């Protein structure tokens, strides 16, 4: 017969095993992020030079990088880096459009993306289609703000719209790639992205991350979902 003390010991051993598994996962994930982050930053250096020259040729005098506050692990805000793919003051143009066009606002709130966005520069369009615009985020990965694989890095203004999903999603570091990026990306609605990020949280693990990485390589090669 199993007495109360034995039950407590069994429960404690289960908790210890779960805790050890989580710690091993975190250590392996961070080690993988450091290797991928360092490799990405090395590749990023010559890309910066190419993008800088391309912008100059196009007469674009704006900054090469775009920096924006995003929601990180445990709800902490961090500064996300990307190549700037839009005209200067793109956010102000967006806010003006949202206020003046009801149909545009409804579609944007549903998808959080804009088809045929006129704010995107010629060089920016190429960077997006090839996913090169995401490369500066390897700096975030190396710094520890992000992981290579994780939920979408949400905007602070989207916190309210995330609802109950927020409390689960912030338990993971946001990623350059993730389940939503390999599951339709721009074709997914905002709510569908939240559900995919929750699915990632519920299934996260090293092998799950590797599976997503392989799918990401295939998606980038096929240029699927870019916008």
């Amino acid at each position: 017969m199993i007495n109360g003390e034995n039950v407590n010991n069994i429960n404690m051993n289960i908790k210890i095993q779960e805790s050890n598994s989580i710690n091993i996962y975190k250590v392996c994930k961070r080690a993988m992020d450091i290797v991928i982050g360092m490799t990405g930053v090395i590749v990023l250096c010559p890309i910066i030079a190419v993008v800088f020259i391309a912008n100059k040729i196009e007469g674009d005098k704006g900054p090469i990088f775009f920096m924006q506050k995003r929601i990180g692990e445990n709800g902490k805000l961090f500064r996300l880096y990307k190549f700037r793919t839009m005209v200067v003051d793109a956010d102000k143009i967006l806010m003006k459009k949202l206020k003046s066009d009801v149909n545009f606002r409804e579609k944007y709130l549903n998808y959080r993306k804009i088809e045929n966005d006129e704010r995107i520069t010629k060089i920016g369009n190429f960077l997006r289609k090839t996913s090169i615009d995401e490369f500066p985020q390897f700096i975030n990965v190396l710094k520890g703000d992000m992981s290579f694989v994780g939920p979408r890095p949400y905007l602070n203004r989207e916190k309210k719209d995330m609802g109950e999903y927020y409390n689960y999603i912030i338990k993971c570091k946001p990623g350059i790639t993730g389940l939503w990026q390999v599951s339709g990306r721009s074709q997914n609605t905002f709510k569908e992205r939240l559900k995919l990020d929750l699915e990632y949280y519920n299934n996260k693990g090293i092998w799950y991350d590797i599976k997503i990485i392989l799918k990401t390589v295939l998606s980038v090669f096929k240029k699927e979902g870019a916008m």
Side-chain angles (χ1 to χ4, degrees):
M1 180 180 293
I2 299 176
N3 57 36
E5 185 177 348
N6 288 334
V7 171
N8 289 334
N9 288 335
I10 291 171
N11 289 335
M12 185 174 291
N13 288 332
I14 291 174
K15 288 181 180 179
I16 290 173
Q17 290 175 4
E18 289 177 347
S19 178
N20 289 338
S21 296
I22 292 171
N23 289 333
I24 291 172
Y25 166 65
K26 286 184 176 181
V27 170
C28 291
K29 188 174 178 65
R30 182 56 188 154
M32 187 166 63
D33 282 342
I34 290 173
V35 173
I36 293 175
M38 290 180 66
T39 303
V41 169
I42 291 171
V43 175
L44 173 65
C45 292
I47 294 176
I48 292 174
V50 172
V51 173
F52 177 80
I53 293 171
N55 282 347
K56 289 298 180 182
I57 292 174
E58 287 296 318
D60 189 335
K61 298 180 181 179
I64 189 171
F65 291 115
F66 173 74
M67 292 174 282
Q68 190 177 52
K69 292 277 185 75
R70 297 293 180 102
I71 300 173
E73 188 177 24
N74 299 319
K76 182 180 178 181
L77 295 178
F78 71 97
R79 194 179 299 276
L80 177 141
Y81 304 102
K82 294 182 72 173
F83 280 122
R84 181 178 59 84
T85 59
M86 294 186 176
V87 297
V88 178
D89 292 331
D91 280 345
K92 290 181 180 179
I93 297 172
L94 173 62
M95 292 304 159
K96 186 176 180 180
K97 184 80 170 176
L98 288 172
K99 289 179 180 179
S100 62
D101 191 328
V102 177
N103 292 329
F104 174 85
R105 181 168 65 248
E106 183 178 346
K107 190 171 184 179
Y108 177 79
L109 292 176
N110 193 31
Y111 288 92
R112 305 303 165 102
K113 293 285 184 180
I114 305 169
E115 291 184 2
N116 303 316
D117 196 334
E118 295 179 354
R119 299 174 302 159
I120 300 175
T121 64
K122 185 177 180 180
I123 299 300
N125 187 50
F126 171 78
L127 294 176
R128 286 188 171 213
K129 285 185 175 180
T130 56
S131 296
I132 293 175
D133 63 313
E134 310 283 354
F135 263 73
Q137 290 175 46
F138 283 110
I139 298 173
N140 291 117
V141 172
L142 205 53
K143 287 174 61 180
D145 297 325
M146 296 177 65
S147 177
F148 184 59
V149 181
R152 176 178 178 264
Y154 290 88
L155 292 162
N156 193 38
R157 65 172 179 256
E158 294 175 323
K159 180 178 177 180
K160 183 179 179 181
D161 298 326
M162 292 171 72
E164 60 185 10
Y165 293 97
Y166 173 83
N167 295 322
Y168 297 97
I169 290 173
I170 63 167
K171 291 181 181 180
C172 303
K173 286 183 182 180
I176 294 179
T177 188
L179 191 57
W180 80 271
Q181 289 95 328
V182 298
S183 303
R185 199 171 172 180
S186 298
Q187 283 72 36
N188 293 321
T189 64
F190 184 73
K191 189 67 175 287
E192 287 170 341
R193 293 177 209 170
L194 291 170
K195 289 179 178 179
L196 287 168
D197 284 335
L198 178 60
E199 183 179 337
Y200 173 79
Y201 165 76
N202 288 328
N203 295 282
K204 62 184 183 295
I206 290 299
W207 292 114
Y208 198 62
D209 282 5
I210 291 174
K211 182 179 179 181
I212 290 173
I213 291 172
L214 294 176
K215 284 186 176 182
T216 299
V217 174
L218 185 61
S219 294
V220 170
F221 182 75
K222 291 183 176 181
K223 298 181 182 179
E224 292 178 345
M227 179 172 158

